[in-house]
Amino acid sequence: MWWCCAIPPETGVYEDRRDFAKRVLSSPEVPGVEAVLLCPPKTPSPSAPTAPCRFGAKLRRSSLDEKWGITVEAVPKIATLILSVKNDSPCPVREHNSSAASAWQIREGDFILSANGVKDDLAIATLLSDSLALDLVLERAQLIDTTVSKRGRPLGLTLHHQENGAALYVQGIADESAVRASGADVSLGDRIVQVNGRSAKAWDLIQALKASDATVLTIARRAEVKAKHGGPTRHPIDAKRSARLPSPHP
């Protein structure tokens, strides 16, 4: 069983329903709250979250051999990205999604912000491997499609990725680049998860970027990325100087 509630983000998250009810209904610091949602509705409601949003999920498994039903990519100091969700066979994530409203289901592209109170991404990877129970705080990614037309210009992105990863992390954007000239919606900290509508391993995504003159990028963006990194970089960056980040703990 899990609990969720719609509250102003500055009030924090209360995982226990009684604690939440006491704090919210009696606190003058939370205006305009007249009711408490103690369990997920069967169908989405007007109060259900829209991207970007944060929500919780409690997952349990019977043994360490049982798969959670998600594949993730964890990059230190960035975020843990859910690359895929398995809903076609029994698993903890499928059990969660079957009882949750659509807006509260775990989806491909969501970010794991913490697991069992731990926020470090490499530690989260270890918990996914070694734990029977997970209390997750997730953030719904903004999934953005944006087009880049090279027209003889270099792409101008510094892209980092893990050795066996399936996403590209945007670490630099050159001022004189096809991305800037196209007015493409790309920011530092974005994750490129598809190129021209196709998911692939990171190296294949890079090859697709090189091969196409007009490219549609599908980007997974955290809510805080645009605010922190929305402006252009001040120095041109050679996109060839990309480095691979270390793989997380298996």
Side-chain angles (χ1 to χ4, degrees):
M1 183 61 68
W2 60 282
W3 309 100
C4 63
C5 51
I7 57 175
E10 63 271 14
T11 62
V13 177
Y14 302 100
E15 294 186 352
D16 182 85
R17 55 177 177 169
R18 290 163 296 186
D19 180 50
F20 171 78
K22 290 178 181 178
R23 290 175 183 264
V24 171
L25 295 181
S26 64
S27 174
E29 299 177 358
V30 188
V33 177
E34 298 179 353
V36 179
L37 179 63
L38 293 181
C39 59
K42 293 301 181 182
T43 57
S45 67
S47 62
T50 56
C53 72
R54 295 184 180 185
F55 61 100
K58 295 181 184 290
L59 307 179
R60 303 291 183 268
R61 61 181 177 178
S62 57
S63 72
L64 296 181
D65 294 329
E66 183 181 4
K67 304 297 183 182
W68 291 113
I70 54 175
T71 57
V72 303
E73 184 167 293
V75 180
K77 300 181 181 180
I78 302 170
T80 298
L81 176 67
I82 295 179
L83 295 173
S84 65
V85 176
K86 189 174 184 179
N87 281 316
D88 57 354
S89 61
C91 61
V93 168
R94 181 185 179 185
E95 182 179 352
H96 166 85
N97 285 348
S98 66
S99 62
S102 175
W104 301 101
Q105 293 174 1
I106 298 173
R107 302 178 189 172
E108 177 181 329
D110 286 347
F111 291 100
I112 299 176
L113 303 186
S114 69
N116 298 347
V118 175
K119 296 181 179 180
D120 178 78
D121 297 293
L122 295 182
I124 289 174
T126 300
L127 286 171
L128 288 171
S129 174
D130 298 344
S131 298
L132 293 175
L134 290 175
D135 291 352
L136 302 178
V137 176
L138 302 105
E139 180 177 279
R140 177 109 318 134
Q142 295 173 284
L143 292 178
I144 301 164
D145 288 333
T146 189
T147 302
V148 178
S149 297
K150 293 181 182 176
R151 297 180 181 177
R153 299 183 182 89
L155 187 64
L157 295 179
T158 299
L159 300 172
H160 284 209
H161 63 90
Q162 295 185 78
E163 185 174 356
N164 296 310
L168 304 173
Y169 165 58
V170 179
Q171 185 164 352
I173 307 173
D175 290 334
E176 301 296 328
S177 65
V179 169
R180 294 295 190 209
S182 299
D185 188 2
V186 181
S187 295
L188 300 183
D190 283 346
R191 293 269 187 89
I192 299 173
V193 294
Q194 291 184 347
V195 175
N196 294 328
R198 298 190 64 180
S199 302
K201 291 294 185 181
W203 181 250
D204 293 325
L205 292 177
I206 291 174
Q207 299 310 306
L209 289 174
K210 293 179 178 179
S212 179
D213 184 67
T215 306
V216 178
L217 308 179
T218 300
I219 289 169
R221 176 180 295 161
R222 287 196 57 191
E224 64 185 38
V225 163
K226 196 68 175 180
K228 285 186 176 181
H229 304 302
T233 53
R234 295 302 178 186
H235 303 285
I237 299 174
D238 183 355
K240 294 181 181 180
R241 293 189 295 128
S242 65
R244 293 182 177 181
L245 295 171
S247 298
H249 190 284

